[in-house]
Amino acid sequence: MPALPWHRRFTWRAGGAALATLVLTLATACGEPPGQESDAEGESAGLADDPQFVWAVTGADRHIHEDVARLWNENNPDRQVEIFFLAPTADEQRQAMFQDLQAQAGEFDVLGLDVIWTGEFADFGYIESLEDMRGDIEDVSLPGAIDSAQWQQELYALPYSSNGAFLYYRTDLIDEPPTTWDELYETGMAAAEEEGIAPFVGQGDQYEGFVVTYLEMFWSAGGELFDESQENSTFLEGDAAQTALDFMIEGQENGFFAEGFDSMVEDDARALFQSGEAVYMRNWPYAVPLLEGEESAVAEDFAVAPLPSFTGESGTSALGGLNNAVSSLSENKELASEFVLWAATDPEAQAILADNSLPPTMVSAYEEAEDPNFEMLGDILAEAQARPPVPGYNSLSLEIQDNLHPAFLGQEDPETALQAVDTAAGNALEGE
């Protein structure tokens, strides 16, 4: 496999006006605030004179997807792709694709799916199995990205873009980044008391961001939501579920989390950390260039590290991103499948993502990176966990929000809340 053409230092996207738009909805599981949004929702890009198939994808990061499609069209002038840009928000994207499939319209050949939708679309029979392509991506794509593209150990999509979380910390207040949550708590509390600022900011509002925050702690305590075959809930096996919730409850009670954390989304956390009012922050990589900017109070006084764990071993980030699948209604499945594989494995196509600060899924992109933060992101993504792409993930996410968020705030019995999530996890396997 040829190396990705890294001709210049990796630069992070700094388009921040609407950075929190996507993450305000339940289904925003990409794990990242959006880049450029489309000016119009639900429209063709007008890239092909004689399109042979249609790629339905988010209107966020529009220019990046257009460049990928243009590259395909340049290389395949007789087999051109047209892009249909869906709304930038994930719930509207899902609804538009569902409507096309349920109405048997078949307007879309390739579906750009949020990483948590694989099981749902596969269970409904809306997307084709791509299991025969497993050998083409196993040594090329990030393992977590491949996990997010399969349901019951069968591949139904191919990886396209990814994302993972950093721990941001104040280098003027912290000598070395912590490797455990307990160390983070202790050093954060001490530095915050001395400086009169908050110890920790992140995603604490009752939305998908809170689910990610909890799951990252749960996974780093050794927990797994399901068994390997994705047939049974293992949420309450061991003490990981309790460990993660107890840490969050105690942190809330003792002032570890910043005031207003329980209503905080990505850009709220970023703004507070950027103003110098927090010691630590959990956030996605989009914040790096904003924190380095002229208006940042911490431009010279922050660094990033992997998230900690409860054991001192490598922490675990939730995996974000998009996968591409082939619609079961496509009249050109062979060509659509070829495009999906190309978008996952072509070095030039994946370099377009990387050069525009949308993390690619090709392992080689990170192995040859010149930017240390991007190289670190590659290490983080190699260990990242995909939120299980089970048919009922959206319902499970809601149950986590509706039960664990009140428990975190002391408004619901923790044991009752954890039992409710375990039940919801079992139901999610059946698409309920």
Side-chain angles (χ1 to χ4, degrees):
M1 178 65 64
L4 276 170
W6 291 101
H7 297 310
R8 55 189 173 85
R9 182 181 183 273
F10 185 88
T11 54
W12 299 97
R13 178 172 62 240
L19 285 166
T21 303
L22 281 183
V23 296
L24 294 177
T25 63
L26 159 69
T28 304
C30 291
E32 60 182 307
Q36 275 186 295
E37 298 182 359
S38 63
D39 295 326
E41 298 177 358
E43 63 175 356
S44 293
L47 298 178
D49 296 329
D50 183 24
Q52 300 300 302
F53 64 106
V54 177
W55 177 24
V57 70
T58 172
D61 297 310
R62 173 174 179 147
H63 69 291
I64 302 175
H65 307 312
E66 285 181 341
D67 286 348
V68 171
R70 285 192 184 96
L71 178 63
W72 167 272
N73 288 344
E74 289 171 5
N75 295 335
N76 300 274
D78 297 327
R79 302 184 302 160
Q80 294 194 345
V81 62
E82 180 59 271
I83 300 182
F84 186 89
F85 282 114
L86 305 168
T89 54
D91 54 348
E92 293 174 286
Q93 295 163 30
R94 178 171 166 269
Q95 181 181 10
M97 288 187 283
F98 261 40
Q99 287 176 343
D100 177 78
L101 292 157
Q102 290 170 342
Q104 297 285 299
E107 296 292 333
F108 310 138
D109 300 281
V110 176
L111 307 177
L113 301 182
D114 193 295
V115 292
I116 62 167
W117 295 341
T118 307
E120 183 178 29
F121 277 71
D123 201 51
F124 276 112
Y126 287 161
I127 52 180
E128 296 290 302
S129 172
L130 300 177
E131 183 62 28
D132 60 345
M133 295 182 176
R134 183 180 292 274
D136 296 312
I137 66 166
E138 278 195 324
D139 295 327
V140 177
S141 300
L142 295 162
I146 296 175
D147 289 344
S148 75
Q150 58 187 16
W151 164 234
Q152 293 185 331
Q153 300 179 311
E154 185 169 355
L155 205 60
Y156 282 94
L158 296 188
Y160 173 59
S161 68
S162 190
N163 210 358
F166 283 141
L167 173 69
Y168 294 76
Y169 67 98
R170 290 280 297 276
T171 54
D172 55 330
L173 305 178
I174 302 296
D175 293 332
E176 296 289 337
T179 58
T180 69
W181 285 107
D182 288 339
E183 183 185 354
L184 188 153
Y185 177 92
E186 293 170 3
T187 57
M189 291 289 280
E193 183 177 1
E194 184 173 337
E195 298 294 320
I197 58 178
F200 185 86
V201 293
Q203 292 73 63
D205 197 7
Q206 191 170 336
Y207 76 123
E208 182 67 20
F210 174 82
V211 177
V212 166
T213 296
Y214 175 79
L215 287 179
E216 288 173 341
M217 294 184 183
F218 168 74
W219 286 325
S220 75
E224 293 289 346
L225 279 167
F226 302 107
D227 59 17
E228 188 173 348
S229 63
Q230 292 184 321
E231 294 179 349
N232 301 287
S233 169
T234 55
F235 177 66
L236 290 182
E237 290 187 8
D239 60 1
Q242 188 74 56
T243 296
L245 185 57
D246 284 348
F247 180 86
M248 295 192 72
I249 291 172
E250 293 172 11
Q252 176 68 10
E253 292 175 345
N254 297 332
F256 170 69
F257 297 107
E259 184 176 352
F261 178 83
D262 60 328
S263 61
M264 192 174 290
V265 300
E266 276 80 352
D267 230 31
D268 300 326
R270 191 272 308 165
L272 200 64
F273 188 87
Q274 183 172 322
S275 67
E277 293 301 316
V279 181
Y280 290 112
M281 175 175 70
R282 183 266 177 221
N283 219 325
W284 307 101
Y286 87 96
V288 170
L290 301 176
L291 298 179
E292 292 176 337
E294 294 181 1
E295 297 181 1
S296 174
V298 297
E300 304 295 330
D301 296 318
F302 84 95
V304 296
L307 294 173
S309 69
F310 285 100
T311 63
E313 299 174 356
S314 297
T316 304
S317 168
L319 193 76
L322 287 174
N323 301 322
N324 283 318
V326 176
S327 169
S328 59
L329 298 180
S330 172
E331 295 182 355
N332 204 340
K333 293 185 177 67
E334 185 175 347
L335 183 54
S337 298
E338 186 177 339
F339 174 83
V340 166
L341 179 60
W342 172 84
T345 61
D346 183 79
E348 197 172 352
Q350 286 278 297
I352 289 174
L353 274 63
D355 287 346
N356 288 278
S357 310
L358 189 62
T361 55
M362 285 187 72
V363 175
S364 59
Y366 302 94
E367 293 175 343
E368 302 182 14
E370 296 178 5
D371 183 284
N373 288 342
F374 188 53
E375 184 178 2
M376 182 189 299
L377 179 60
D379 294 336
I380 290 170
L381 291 175
E383 302 296 329
Q385 285 234 41
R387 282 154 290 172
V390 296
Y393 178 81
N394 279 353
S395 296
L396 172 59
S397 176
L398 276 176
E399 288 296 320
I400 293 174
Q401 296 171 46
D402 291 345
N403 288 278
L404 298 192
H405 196 269
F408 154 63
L409 296 177
Q411 300 168 357
E412 184 174 331
D413 176 62
E415 184 175 348
T416 302
L418 292 172
Q419 288 288 345
V421 172
D422 185 52
T423 300
N427 292 338
L429 292 168
E430 306 299 327
E432 299 177 13

